[in-house]
């Protein structure tokens, strides 16, 4: 599970990077302890948690030896800004040979503290050298981005480990108006493969800047970029003074039956400074406060705590991200974020599967300006799904540029520009993509689609993840009275099956789901036989992620339309926002195309009066999203369409008809309703 060896000295209660405190000294090494098939031409690195005394890092205190204990000739260097020491062998290592790397107690940090024992780890080489050029998989700001805060740092993420000695202002440069070089400092985060340029002062407002990474930047095997990467962005007039927030975590708060071989992941609202999201600021501990050992990796807006060994079974654990975690503008979390979860008795050894895609396989007339989304059967390890492993290619087999964003069970590829019209595209996700327990897909996920001539109107759709597998999904209860018919699956978690009332359901022989006469589909609850508990935990997490996504969309096209009463209106695609509740007392029509999107942000309740029809003129229910902070009430015989994401409950009164998905963070109540899931 661990990406590298991690050990401690002073101010800690044991060994392991997860025990890091503000005064502890930790080191993470690469190649990882026990790594196999290591390329013959790579260097060996050690990333420290504190600034080190460079005079103590030499080829006497940092060594590499072969199986005969003979030391390998090489040079040791230390990059102070990134706190990384590198051992560079004078030549290629031998084929299929076990090597031992050692950092002795002679190595001290800048305050004179050292390790209580030598740090020793081993790895074994393979038979080949690495001759593949590294690639930049994402940048922040992105190419062409506008209104960039003037206090923002510039970051680039690579697809493999880089040689930190090659990353400096000579190879990673930023220029402003008139081509004047921006002064600053470049650092590199080995866990996340991220280089960051920090300007010495705020950038000029309303100016165009160019960032360039030259071919002098090399990977740890000495391969340089094949082509220099250059991109531009434009600053706004303001600073970013908004604190980052946590959008969602995996496991989610209060999750149960978490596999003991799981990692812990946090998804932030924006790109974070990887130097501030470390084992010091992201910790996992027992309920008694005993810290776990592990390694923390920050990649873009995602941070992952990877335990050194399996978690203890049937144990309550506490994860914490402190206010030391900061975004690229230097804004810290407003307060510590703490959540708990409980492990299961066993490990997860089941490979994830691809459960749905947007666009679907073989789709035609796909809008040219839409993202590509893959949803898996469970939460995935975001570090294994990047632009290097999630690729979109055209008819010439050349990969198009884009950025990959991961949340829970879903991964989204955002193309850098609109796709070509009437063109066949192929999407592939490498077989090495893994779930949070480390299980790989095993076979590449591949599908294709063909674009049409047009672009879609409205915002990007809200990604539902596995919550989109359910027509009804709730956390506390789902009940029905009267003659109800439901087409689609029904899910409940963390509440038990007893909180499904009025269904007269029968548990299947597998005890992993139930069936009911009024449901064309399956019913799932958190207390059913595995893998159902994990399935439901993922679905609830994805529901909460989708709600946060919808609520977090900015720059609305319409604000406070109708002062909260849209009765009788015809609404075009777009993002709508109300700081109040929303009322419909007469029919409302959504007019647009089959690929257009509507998102409604409602700060209080959504109330649809008796008999009111929400009509779709060309629109599809799957592309209509109602994000409601309060409760949703659909009146008697109302006819409603769309995906409802409610922070509280959803109530369908007698005879109401609903075509969509009712996803509630408390309960769903039905009374003689016809409920149908939309086509994907």
């Amino acid at each position: 599970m661990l990406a590298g060896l991690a050990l401690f000295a002073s101010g800690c209660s044991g060994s392991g990077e997860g025990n890091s405190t503000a005064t502890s000294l930790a080191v993470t090494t690469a190649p990882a302890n026990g790594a196999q098939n290591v390329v013959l031409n790579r260097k060996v690195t050690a990333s420290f948690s504190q600034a080190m005394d460079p005079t103590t890092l030499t080829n006497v205190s940092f060594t590499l030896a072969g199986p005969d204990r003979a030391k390998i000739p090489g040079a040791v260097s230390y990059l102070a800004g990134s706190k990384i020491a590198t051992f560079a062998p004078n030549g290629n290592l031998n084929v299929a040979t076990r090597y031992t790397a050692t950092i002795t107690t002679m190595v001290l940090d800048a305050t004179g503290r050292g390790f209580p024992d030598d740090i020793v780890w081993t790895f074994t080489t393979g038979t080949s050298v690495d001759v593949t050029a590294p690639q930049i998989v994402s940048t922040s700001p992105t190419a062409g981005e506008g209104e960039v805060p003037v206090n923002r740092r510039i970051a680039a993420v690579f697809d493999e480990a880089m040689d930190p000695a090659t990353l400096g202002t000579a190879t990673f440069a930023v220029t402003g108006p008139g081509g004047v070089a921006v002064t600053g400092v470049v650092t590199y985060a080995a866990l996340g493969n991220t280089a960051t340029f920090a300007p010495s002062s705020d950038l000029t407002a309303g100016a165009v800047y160019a960032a360039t990474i030259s071919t002098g930047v090399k990977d740890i095997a000495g391969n340089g970029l094949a082509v220099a990467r250059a991109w531009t962005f434009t600053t706004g007039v303001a600073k970013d003074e908004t604190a980052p927030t946590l959008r969602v975590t995996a496991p989610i708060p209060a999750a149960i039956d978490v596999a003991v071989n799981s990692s812990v992941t946090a998804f932030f609202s924006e790109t974070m400074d990887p130097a501030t999201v470390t084992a010091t600021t992201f910790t996992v501990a027992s309920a008694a406060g005993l810290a776990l050992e592990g390694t923390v990796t920050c990649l873009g807006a995602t941070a992952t705590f990877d335990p050194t060994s399996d978690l203890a079974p049937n144990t309550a654990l506490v994860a914490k991200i402190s206010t030391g975690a900061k975004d690229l503008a230097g804004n810290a979390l407003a307060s510590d974020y703490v959540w708990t979860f409980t492990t299961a008795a066993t490990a997860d050894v089941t490979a994830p599967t691809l459960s749905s895609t947007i666009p679907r396989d073989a789709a035609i007339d796909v809008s040219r300006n839409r993202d590509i989304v893959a949803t898996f059967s469970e939460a995935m390890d975001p570090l294994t799904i990047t632009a290097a492993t999630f690729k979109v290619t055209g008819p010439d087999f050349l990969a198009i540029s884009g950025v990959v964003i991961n949340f829970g069970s879903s991964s989204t590829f955002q193309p850098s520009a609109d796709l070509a019209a009437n063109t066949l595209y192929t999407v592939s996700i490498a077989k090495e993509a893994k779930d949070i327990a480390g299980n790989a897909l095993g076979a590449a996920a591949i599908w294709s689609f063909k674009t049409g001539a047009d672009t879609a109107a409205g915002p990007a759709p809200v990604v539902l993840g596995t919550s989109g597998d359910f027509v009804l999904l709730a956390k506390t209860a789902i009940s029905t009275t009267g003659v109800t018919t439901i087409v689609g699956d029904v899910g409940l978690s963390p509440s038990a099956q007893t909180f499904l009332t009025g269904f007269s359901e029968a548990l299947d022989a597998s005890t992993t789901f139930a069936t009911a006469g009024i449901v064309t589909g399956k019913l799932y609850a958190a207390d059913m036989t595995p893998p159902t508990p994990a399935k439901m935990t993922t679905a609830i997490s994805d529901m909460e992620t989708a709600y946060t996504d919808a609520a977090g969309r900015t720059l609305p096209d319409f604000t406070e339309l109708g002062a909260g009463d849209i009765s009788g209106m015809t609404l075009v695609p777009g993002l709508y926002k109300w700081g109040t509740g929303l009322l419909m007392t007469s029919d409302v029509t959504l007019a647009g195309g089959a690929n257009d999107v509507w998102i409604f942000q409602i700060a209080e309740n959504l109330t649809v009066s008796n008999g009111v029809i929400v009509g779709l003129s060309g629109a599809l229910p799957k592309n209509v999203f109602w994000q409601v902070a309060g409760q949703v009430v659909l009146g008697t015989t109302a006819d409603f369409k769309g995906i409802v994401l409610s922070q509280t409950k959803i109530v369908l009164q007698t005879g109401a008809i609903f075509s969509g998905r009712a996803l509630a963070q408390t309960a769903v109540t039905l009374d003689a309703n016809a409920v149908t899931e939309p086509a994907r």
Side-chain angles (χ1 to χ4, degrees), residues 368-406:
R368 297 166 47 217
N369 60 334
R370 287 308 188 207
D371 299 338
I372 295 96
V373 182
T375 296
F376 299 89
S377 57
E378 55 185 309
M380 300 296 287
D381 179 353
L383 303 180
T384 67
I385 306 178
T386 67
T389 55
F390 188 165
K391 296 183 178 181
V392 181
T393 58
D396 53 6
F397 299 106
L398 293 177
I400 68 170
S401 62
V403 176
V404 174
I405 298 175
N406 296 288

Side-chain angles (χ1 to χ4, degrees), residues 142-160:
T142 57
E145 185 173 339
E147 298 297 322
V148 175
V150 296
N151 59 336
R152 179 84 163 271
R153 298 178 181 181
I154 299 93
V157 178
F158 298 87
D159 67 339
E160 60 177 309

